[in-house]
Amino acid sequence: MKNRIWLMVYTALLAFLSVFIFFKIQERDLIIQLNNHNLSQDAYQIKFRDKLTIAAFENKLSNSSKLTNLQVHFQVRNKKITYFWGKGDYAVPPILKGSFFSTKDLKSDLPVAVVGKDWQKKLYKPKDQSYLHYEGHYYPVLGVMGDKFSSSLDQQIFMIPSLQQREKMLVSHFRVIVDGKRNLKAKTLTTILGNVQVKRLHTKQIFISQKTWIASHGIELFGLVLVMISFILAAVFWRFFAAHRYRQARFLQKGLSVFIFEEWENFALLAGLGLIFGSWFGLVLFKSNSYLGLLIYELFGFLLSNIYLIFSLKKSLTKEDHS
């Protein structure tokens, strides 16, 4: 058994690499989301055919029992400012300092702002409160958005206008995006909002919610393919060494079926232990939001290598018996 420990070390390394690659995918997904104003890939863009104020639009959403957890971005064209409204529980961008908008802020008569981290040094701070000087006005700043990664969110300004301002601002002057915490349906939005055009902000494909997802994760996907091939190579190496051990087993008059079972048993045990130790060490170092994809991937690699080993051993050793 001692001379086979290489398999446990080998699979532990593959498991560690798998965790690292999935972490990099998660990291890149976060950057993509932050570049998209922290909106999900299931967000909708709303185009209005009727004249409607922001306040009237918000009232329609607020009064609907079918829409519970969502956020609305009123994006100013060609500017880095977004007027924000939310209802219930919605995705909040990472905050470096202060806080994001509260329910109280959404109903306040005083306009308030949350800014990206690139604005932090430009804020006016006479005492304890920071202010954003924007287009001749000073706005209280509640928090600073951002992460350790650089993204376009760093340059953005999120603002809640006063109620008086919202009653004058027309939705047709903005790019209006609606995003739910759970998947929204276009039909539901159309029914509630009436005479509007609803379309996905991003084209959705089967298994892929973003058109450029594969291109954005090309390096990580290539790495996962290499790791999967390496899982198969573990079985190839084991089969090679097993052929030499079988010659000794034949001398001891051990049957082919018994030998294959013992080889598979040892392979599965060592590879399984390697996967457990490697994955555990990787997850200690790299925090993950979801383990399902990683678990399915590693389990598939483990099963594939085991199946290959059993069939390849049976084929090659049967052929050797008849030679």
Side-chain angles (χ1 to χ4, degrees):
M1 180 69 74
K2 289 182 179 179
N3 61 351
R4 305 180 194 182
I5 295 298
W6 66 267
L7 177 64
M8 187 167 67
V9 176
Y10 180 82
T11 51
L13 178 60
L14 294 181
F16 178 82
L17 287 174
S18 299
V19 174
F20 174 73
I21 294 171
F22 270 85
F23 171 77
K24 297 304 288 185
I25 290 174
Q26 173 185 295
E27 188 178 88
R28 195 174 292 272
D29 282 341
L30 174 61
I31 294 173
I32 290 172
Q33 183 169 334
L34 296 183
N35 283 334
N36 190 34
H37 291 74
N38 199 49
L39 294 165
S40 76
Q41 299 303 317
D42 296 314
Y44 290 96
Q45 181 175 356
I46 313 294
K47 292 186 177 180
F48 299 84
R49 298 187 178 98
D50 297 333
K51 189 176 180 180
L52 193 69
T53 65
I54 286 181
F57 173 65
E58 291 173 352
N59 285 334
K60 282 190 174 187
L61 297 178
S62 183
N63 295 331
S64 172
S65 59
K66 294 181 180 179
L67 297 174
T68 51
N69 302 313
L70 75 161
Q71 58 181 301
V72 182
H73 290 202
F74 303 92
Q75 298 174 359
V76 181
R77 294 178 178 89
N78 303 319
K79 290 187 179 181
K80 296 175 181 177
I81 183 167
T82 294
Y83 294 108
F84 182 90
W85 183 83
K87 178 183 178 182
D89 188 17
Y90 46 81
V92 174
I95 299 293
L96 295 174
K97 186 179 179 181
S99 62
F100 198 64
F101 304 119
S102 66
T103 305
K104 185 179 178 181
D105 297 318
L106 293 168
K107 299 176 181 178
S108 174
D109 288 332
L110 178 69
V112 289
V114 174
V115 300
K117 65 183 180 182
D118 287 358
W119 288 90
Q120 192 166 3
K121 293 181 180 179
K122 303 174 185 177
L123 299 178
Y124 172 60
K125 190 174 183 181
K127 290 185 179 180
D128 296 331
Q129 177 64 55
S130 298
Y131 294 87
L132 170 70
H133 184 233
Y134 185 78
E135 294 186 344
H137 298 280
Y138 286 91
Y139 300 94
V141 174
L142 303 177
V144 177
M145 303 179 290
D147 202 276
K148 61 182 179 180
F149 317 110
S150 294
S151 70
S152 62
L153 186 71
D154 302 339
Q155 305 163 24
Q156 298 295 321
I157 300 170
F158 282 16
M159 188 179 294
I160 297 179
S162 68
L163 179 58
Q164 187 178 10
Q165 290 173 316
R166 298 200 298 272
E167 287 175 343
K168 296 178 181 178
M169 300 163 74
L170 297 176
V171 291
S172 56
H173 294 166
F174 303 92
R175 183 173 183 251
V176 181
I177 311 297
V178 178
D179 190 19
K181 190 158 188 180
R182 291 187 176 88
N183 290 345
L184 286 173
K185 294 187 181 297
K187 186 177 179 180
T188 303
L189 289 170
T190 304
T191 301
I192 293 168
L193 298 176
N195 192 22
V196 296
Q197 179 187 352
V198 179
K199 68 173 184 177
R200 282 195 178 274
L201 189 60
H202 299 276
T203 304
K204 191 162 187 177
Q205 300 172 340
I206 299 174
F207 303 119
I208 301 171
S209 60
Q210 185 186 4
K211 218 171 186 179
T212 57
W213 193 90
I214 292 177
S216 300
H217 298 77
I219 296 174
E220 291 84 0
L221 291 175
F222 180 69
L224 288 177
V225 171
L226 288 181
V227 170
M228 187 59 66
I229 293 172
S230 298
F231 273 120
I232 304 300
L233 284 177
V236 173
F237 293 141
W238 188 277
R239 186 196 68 176
F240 175 77
F241 295 122
H244 293 279
R245 291 192 289 270
Y246 182 59
R247 296 185 187 100
Q248 298 176 352
R250 280 202 305 179
F251 179 76
L252 297 174
Q253 296 184 340
K254 184 178 289 188
L256 177 61
S257 299
V258 174
F259 177 79
I260 290 175
F261 176 79
E262 289 178 350
E263 287 295 317
W264 167 77
E265 189 177 40
N266 289 327
F267 178 87
L269 174 64
L270 292 171
L273 288 173
L275 278 177
I276 292 171
F277 289 135
S279 299
W280 173 81
F281 187 60
L283 291 172
V284 168
L285 293 181
F286 307 109
K287 185 179 178 182
S288 177
N289 294 330
S290 175
Y291 305 102
L292 182 61
L294 174 65
L295 179 64
I296 292 173
Y297 174 80
E298 290 189 342
L299 185 60
F300 179 75
F302 177 75
L303 292 175
L304 193 62
S305 59
N306 276 264
I307 292 170
Y308 172 82
L309 177 69
I310 293 171
F311 281 97
S312 62
L313 274 177
K314 188 174 181 179
K315 183 179 179 180
S316 61
L317 297 183
T318 301
K319 186 177 179 180
E320 186 171 324
D321 271 345
H322 294 154
S323 62

